[in-house]
Amino acid sequence: MGPGPSDVHPRVLRAMSTPLIGHLDPAFLEIMDQVQELLRYALRTGNRWTIPVSGTGSAAMEAAIANLVEPGDRVLVPGNGYFGLRMEAMVERAGGEPARVEAPWGRPLDPDDVREAVERHSPAIFAFVHAETSTGVLQPHVAELAAIAREHGALVIADAVTSLGGVELRVDEWGLDAVYSGGQKCLSCPPGASPLTLGERAMEKIRERAEPVRSWYLDLSLLSHYWGDERSYHHTAPITNVYALREALRLVAEEGIEARWARHLRVARALRSGLAALGLEPHAEEAFWLPSLTTVRIPDGVDGGRVARRLLAEHGIEIAGGLGDLAGRVWRVGCMGHSARASNVMALVAGLAASIEAEGGSPDTAAGLAAAAEGLAEAD
Ligand SMILES: Cc1ncc(COP(=O)(O)O)c(C=O)c1O
């Protein structure tokens, strides 16, 4: 129940013990086709360039940025969370010139601020985080933000690491040019093969680059020979991770992507009400609360690190503390993929209450359990 990796589904674990075949074996080429098609389904996109990047979410993030940002490009990045700042660092390394659009850690970007920043900086690219795992904030108004950027000729890159497969995400309908994600959050897959999709406008910018991408490994014009029609060698694919991702995506398709978003919302809402009834104050307002990651403030007089360690040692449940500006101020509780289950919510609320109490706090345990149970009963 931390910010990821989430519990891996037993079917995915089983798929990972499948004997290896070569990355150019005809049977593997079929698996690649299936993974690409399933990814398009989960991302709600028809983009031809939809692939798993070898590596974790940061590799997919770097693939998007390293390929789309050319030296001297102005890139608008968000200043309202830890992962937006990682985007900024990657933009600098790609030779781009980042400009920030700011919001406090715990609030989403405001469309008026984005419009003002786009008009002021005329960026080639606007990058934002759909689900900020450091703050528990879901960026609303995505289609509106994308339209503002596109009206001014900018491409739009979205970080969907903590939303894909758990929170509504519609790549084509919302006008997103490049979107990347990771396996270990709402897809409940081990990290190692990370989704990336690019629309035609994005691919055109890559094809027209004046100089090659500085990363050989993540250069999409080279990778496209392997993941495109040719299917020729670029680097050895992480075979086992691709098996795992295929199984995880099949589970998404079997459940149905919209039903899966609805499940996350129902279970996470019960979790959020349970935590609130214990007496913990949510850090992100309901209007932009991220169901897959709930942040709550650590009560005064309680050592958040000690509570989290006790919860893990005595109840076998993992949660995390805050990152960056929120270090020591919040706990981050995940509700992702296979972990988004009623039994986990009840165990978490009970275990956290006991751990807070043991560390000198005074949670209202009965109210917390009753609120969580009520939320879950409504869910059924
Ligand atoms: C929003 C967001 N973006 C990017 C990443 C980076 O992914 P990874 O740690 O898999 O490299 C994370 C990881 O937690 C994340 O939460």
Side-chain angles (χ1 to χ4, degrees):
M1 301 299 274
S6 56
D7 270 352
V8 173
H9 194 285
R11 264 177 54 188
V12 174
L13 289 176
R14 203 157 54 232
M16 291 184 76
S17 61
T18 308
L20 292 210
I21 52 175
H23 53 279
L24 292 172
D25 186 301
F28 193 71
L29 303 188
E30 260 178 53
I31 292 174
M32 290 166 70
D33 287 341
Q34 291 165 9
V35 167
Q36 289 186 279
E37 205 42 49
L38 287 161
L39 275 177
R40 289 186 190 103
Y41 168 74
L43 286 155
R44 314 311 296 134
T45 183
N47 287 342
R48 178 170 149 73
W49 295 109
T50 303
I51 65 170
V53 174
S54 305
T56 67
S58 303
M61 182 193 278
E62 195 138 35
I65 291 173
N67 282 272
L68 286 170
V69 177
E70 292 179 80
D73 274 353
R74 182 66 57 88
V75 182
L76 196 61
V77 293
N80 63 338
Y82 183 89
F83 291 102
L85 300 185
R86 183 174 294 184
M87 286 175 139
E88 180 179 58
M90 287 186 183
V91 166
E92 277 169 357
R93 285 177 187 233
E97 290 171 15
R100 278 199 204 167
V101 50
E102 297 284 1
W105 282 45
R107 293 195 65 84
L109 300 180
D110 185 312
D112 289 338
D113 294 339
V114 172
R115 183 180 298 284
E116 196 265 327
V118 166
E119 283 167 2
R120 181 142 47 96
H121 299 290
S122 301
I125 296 169
F126 163 53
F128 74 96
V129 180
H130 182 220
E132 199 16 287
T133 326
S134 63
T135 58
V137 167
L138 178 68
Q139 178 64 52
H141 319 298
V142 172
E144 190 185 339
L145 297 186
I148 294 168
R150 295 179 77 148
E151 269 165 34
H152 291 79
L155 289 172
V156 182
I157 302 181
D159 178 316
V161 170
T162 297
S163 53
L164 175 62
V167 178
E168 183 177 15
L169 169 68
R170 299 180 187 274
V171 171
D172 288 359
E173 202 178 308
W174 291 352
L176 306 173
D177 295 294
V179 177
Y180 60 83
S181 188
Q184 74 274 22
K185 311 277 186 181
C186 302
L187 296 177
S188 272
C189 188
S194 301
L196 172 68
T197 187
L198 295 114
E200 201 32 53
R201 284 181 356 131
M203 283 311 284
E204 206 176 292
K205 187 171 195 299
I206 295 170
R207 281 194 288 266
E208 285 172 5
R209 285 180 66 99
E211 64 170 70
V213 174
R214 291 179 184 181
S215 162
W216 179 89
Y217 195 70
L218 297 173
D219 183 342
L220 288 165
S221 56
L222 300 178
L223 277 172
S224 65
H225 297 300
Y226 182 55
W227 284 99
D229 294 337
E230 259 175 71
R231 297 288 195 231
S232 63
Y233 171 72
H234 174 261
H235 66 264
T236 308
I239 309 290
T240 304
N241 289 93
V242 176
Y243 292 159
L245 186 60
R246 178 178 68 155
E247 199 59 24
L249 290 166
R250 280 173 162 170
L251 285 160
V252 173
E254 283 168 26
E255 183 173 2
I257 188 71
E258 296 192 344
R260 195 172 170 101
W261 297 336
R263 167 169 62 87
H264 277 78
L265 194 56
R266 285 195 309 263
V267 175
R269 190 165 275 145
L271 170 68
R272 184 180 154 102
S273 1
L275 295 176
L278 285 181
L280 302 174
E281 196 185 333
H283 181 65
E285 279 171 34
E286 174 92 40
F288 40 79
W289 157 67
L290 174 61
S292 47
L293 197 284
T294 295
T295 39
V296 284
R297 306 220 172 108
I298 297 168
D300 287 342
V302 170
D303 180 329
R306 284 183 61 94
V307 169
R309 285 192 293 279
R310 187 182 281 275
L311 180 62
L312 183 60
E314 293 176 7
H315 301 268
I317 300 174
E318 180 198 45
I319 62 168
L323 285 177
D325 280 8
L326 297 178
R329 294 171 51 204
V330 298
W331 286 305
R332 295 183 301 142
V333 184
C335 188
M336 303 176 181
H338 187 53
S339 299
R341 303 198 298 277
S343 53
N344 282 6
V345 169
M346 296 309 291
L348 182 278
V349 172
L352 184 58
S355 305
I356 294 172
E357 203 164 339
E359 291 296 334
S362 44
D364 190 339
T365 308
L369 288 170
E374 197 180 317
L376 292 165
E378 277 168 26
D380 298 329

